[in-house]
Amino acid sequence: MAEMTYRGALRATLREALQQDERVFLMGEDIGAYGGAYGVTQGLMAEFGEKRVKDSPIAESVLVGCGVGAAMAGLRPVVEIMSINFSLLAFDQIVNVAAKLQYMSAGQINVPLVIRTVTGGGNMLAATHSQSLEGWFAHVPGLKVAAPATPADARGMLAAAIRDPNPVIIVEHSLLYPIKGEVPDGPHVTPLGKAKVVRAGKDVTIVSYLRMTLTALAAAEELAKEGIDAEVVDLRTLRPLDRETFVASARKTHRAVVVEEGWGTYGIGAEVASSIASAAFDELDAPVARVSGEDVPMPYNKELERAAIPDAARIVAAVKSLL
Amino acid sequence: MAMTRDEMGVDKATALGLYDVMVRIRSFEEKCAEMYGKAKIGGFLHLYIGEEAVAAGVIPLLEAQDTIVSHYREHGHAIARGLDSKRMMAELFGRATGTSKGKGGSMHIFDASKGFLGGYAIVGGMMPVATGLGLASNYLGTKSVCLCIFGDGAVNQGEFHESFNLASLWKLPVVFLLENNGFGMGTRVERVHAGKEMSHLGDAFQIPSEQVDGMDVLAVREVAARAIEHARSGKGPFFLEAVCYRFRGHSMADAMSYRDKAEEEVWRRRDPLPNFRRLLAERRAATEQELAAVEERAEREMADAAAFADASPNPPREAMYEHIYKE
Ligand SMILES: Cc1ncc(C[n+]2csc(CCOP(=O)(O)OP(=O)(O)O)c2C)c(N)n1
């Protein structure tokens, strides 16, 4: 075990993939000479050269489409979209092309493409730069969507994504990059599609993902002080969704709160809550509660932004409302 | 006098081969129209009738390792690339024996074994993909060229400009083939495109570009040979605009009320099939018997294709769940 930042863990996996597999190359805006908008790819162009680490024009559609074509031809592109907000300019290539080729060619073609991007708010970047849009991608059959919350998962899930023969979108959270955690030594792969109980408890289940997993853990500590023992489930992968793990937890604790940073309306939490309600209705002692981002475009002002994003206090309140 | 190679730029066998491709495309498309009329084919059906000289002029020049991405009016390109007409027709019928086992339909024909990497039904959607295929060719050193085929409608899309820029910037071996048939659905090009000559758009990206008469298969072939050679030699992309006309509506649902009858008449006199046939006969590149044999063979082939499709089973219900993810 070694201590690593989330950013460093991602970089370690990219480096390792570039070393191990000639077919792997990175492509994105400002990822080379500049080192990446969030510094994830720092130093990789110097180490691996411009064939393997490519600075692309600010043209998200061709950036993703170029990755799709290269993946079809047998390469293993890892494309960075600077922010999930910019992925909207590549929606056609992601949804109509990457997610469809395998199906519409009846398996003649597959697209082993990884898209890394940054989601979420908290940086006073206002409404166009603070959205959590991963649910839109998780809606689409043919895509996989992963959202690692810890350095260890970032390391292992990115490695799994690069090995995966399907298009995988990895959503990272900008506020997680400097966070440190224990990471197993050497290469390791964390399978996609497996949620994880990150805190065991018996009174209530809190289901969450990405940065909100850390917020949920903080809430669980608060609750523990009052004698409430919360279990926290980190979804880790949004598609394919591991319903079994969180349904089993809810069956055990008989209560569930679902937490997400993004908008609640048609949100990921709705999918999780309905899964729990339909699979474990008879075992629940209370309706499934939800905590989500306020249903507003993200305001710029720091206090307003803070109020729009769920925090531990809101999770604590939601848990208490069930008891 | 029998035609010599110098007079037409191709030998007799090649010339007859080009005619064969054009006839087979038209024959396939006419069979499709007939089958659509019998409700054997569903969805949108976009016919290539009138544009055959473009596919026949370009595609036979490609090599086995080359790739093609095209739009939804792609049957002609697939036939020219040598895809099996039976399996294509079965795909249009939605049958389990189709090129995509009935899950793609007319607009989404694939045969990866022939480098035919898809019809793309979102206007412009194939262009970014072509850059990636070009990138892979350079990356792996395979010398394969990607032929990227699109209509005049795609020229106004952002993806056109994004792809031209990237292909030129990274010197990607892509031949961009614009089939300018004068209309996007029912709207004339002039009503939606501010520029004058689309072939000039390559200049902004330093992509060598040429415009060619898309009704003249030999003219297309001559320019296409240069375009493909340019891309293969490592000099980057080439932009070829073939000016042509579609004789049918945009799709089978189109009543063609927007068409100018006099203009249509002018283009019909330029129909590449009878004109090339006449040329071959005049130059004695082919006998009447040989030409008639080509036509009869094509008709039989497409009748067989329709019979094969009709006799093929529908995919089982479980097929719906296959090929969403690769294990
Ligand atoms: C992005 C997108 N917008 C609109 C359509 C609907 N549509 C299908 S074909 C077409 C016209 C395209 O014309 P053109 O590119 O000139 O090709 P042609 O059909 O003439 O061969 C339109 C508007 C579409 N398929 N994709």
Side-chain angles (χ1 to χ4, degrees), chain B:
Chain B
M1 260 277 299
M3 173 182 66
T4 66
R5 199 190 161 82
D6 287 347
E7 280 175 85
M8 292 189 67
V10 292
D11 59 36
K12 187 182 141 141
T14 306
L16 192 59
L18 297 180
Y19 184 63
D20 184 74
V21 171
M22 292 201 290
V23 169
R24 289 178 58 242
I25 294 173
R26 181 156 305 182
S27 191
F28 184 86
E29 296 293 62
E30 281 173 346
K31 187 56 77 181
C32 289
E34 184 190 330
M35 293 298 125
Y36 185 89
K38 293 185 175 165
K40 298 284 186 190
I41 296 171
F44 291 147
L45 176 64
H46 309 93
L47 300 178
Y48 195 62
I49 293 174
E51 305 184 33
E52 295 91 343
V54 184
V58 180
I59 292 172
L61 292 169
L62 294 174
E63 294 177 5
Q65 80 272 22
D66 295 339
T67 55
I68 300 176
V69 287
S70 179
H71 47 135
Y72 48 83
R73 194 183 300 286
E74 87 284 36
H75 307 162
H77 311 133
I79 295 274
R81 184 59 170 169
L83 270 70
D84 179 6
S85 54
K86 284 194 173 72
R87 295 192 56 220
M88 282 174 59
M89 190 64 82
E91 186 59 34
L92 271 62
F93 277 48
R95 302 302 166 91
T97 53
T99 39
S100 292
K101 302 187 176 174
K103 295 204 291 193
S106 163
M107 304 192 286
H108 309 110
I109 301 286
F110 292 82
D111 187 346
S113 73
K114 296 210 157 64
F116 198 84
L117 301 180
Y120 292 72
I122 305 295
V123 170
M126 77 299 287
M127 301 192 72
V129 176
T131 67
L133 291 162
L135 183 146
S137 170
N138 284 354
Y139 194 100
L140 299 166
T142 55
K143 292 256 168 213
S144 75
V145 168
C146 176
L147 175 65
C148 174
I149 309 173
F150 51 97
D152 44 85
V155 172
N156 302 319
Q157 284 279 22
E159 289 182 329
F160 172 95
H161 301 268
E162 291 188 24
S163 302
F164 265 40
N165 181 50
L166 198 75
S168 182
L169 186 71
W170 289 352
K171 292 214 176 327
L172 305 176
V174 179
V175 173
F176 290 108
L177 173 59
L178 161 60
E179 297 183 322
N180 184 352
N181 61 18
F183 296 93
M185 284 188 67
T187 303
R188 299 183 76 90
V189 166
E190 305 79 60
R191 289 172 58 81
V192 289
H193 184 72
K196 209 168 164 65
E197 296 291 346
M198 286 181 170
S199 58
H200 293 176
L201 291 169
D203 298 351
F205 301 98
Q206 307 199 56
I207 298 178
S209 310
E210 281 196 53
Q211 190 185 62
V212 68
D213 177 2
M215 308 303 269
D216 179 346
V217 66
L218 295 176
V220 173
R221 185 176 165 93
E222 197 224 307
V223 186
R226 261 184 280 133
I228 294 166
E229 161 55 25
H230 176 91
R232 202 178 309 281
S233 70
K235 294 190 198 123
F238 196 99
F239 178 29
L240 180 54
E241 177 190 11
V243 179
C244 54
Y245 198 77
R246 61 170 158 76
F247 291 152
R248 295 299 190 98
H250 168 70
S251 72
M252 297 302 283
D254 176 358
M256 296 212 282
S257 52
Y258 53 89
R259 259 328 152 74
D260 174 343
K261 289 288 164 219
E263 175 189 81
E264 192 177 336
E265 208 28 60
V266 171
W267 280 99
R268 282 212 181 262
R269 282 201 291 274
R270 310 199 50 233
D271 187 336
L273 268 77
N275 284 332
F276 193 56
R277 189 187 205 281
R278 200 173 312 118
L279 188 74
L280 293 179
E282 273 169 22
R283 305 287 177 94
R284 297 202 202 148
T287 64
E288 175 56 34
Q289 263 168 328
E290 285 172 318
L291 294 167
V294 162
E295 291 150 10
E296 278 158 32
R297 234 185 0 253
E299 226 164 281
R300 237 181 356 241
E301 178 190 345
M302 302 318 162
D304 288 349
F308 171 81
D310 208 22
S312 292
N314 280 310
R317 182 69 73 91
E318 315 83 75
M320 175 161 63
Y321 305 103
E322 289 168 4
H323 305 302
I324 300 171
Y325 296 101
K326 190 178 163 85
E327 291 304 315

Side-chain angles (χ1 to χ4, degrees), chain A residues 42-62:
Chain A
Q42 200 81 51
L44 295 179
M45 183 187 263
E47 185 175 352
F48 293 96
E50 295 197 23
K51 180 181 174 187
R52 310 291 302 284
V53 182
K54 294 178 183 304
D55 277 321
S56 82
I58 305 166
E60 285 76 14
S61 188
V62 78

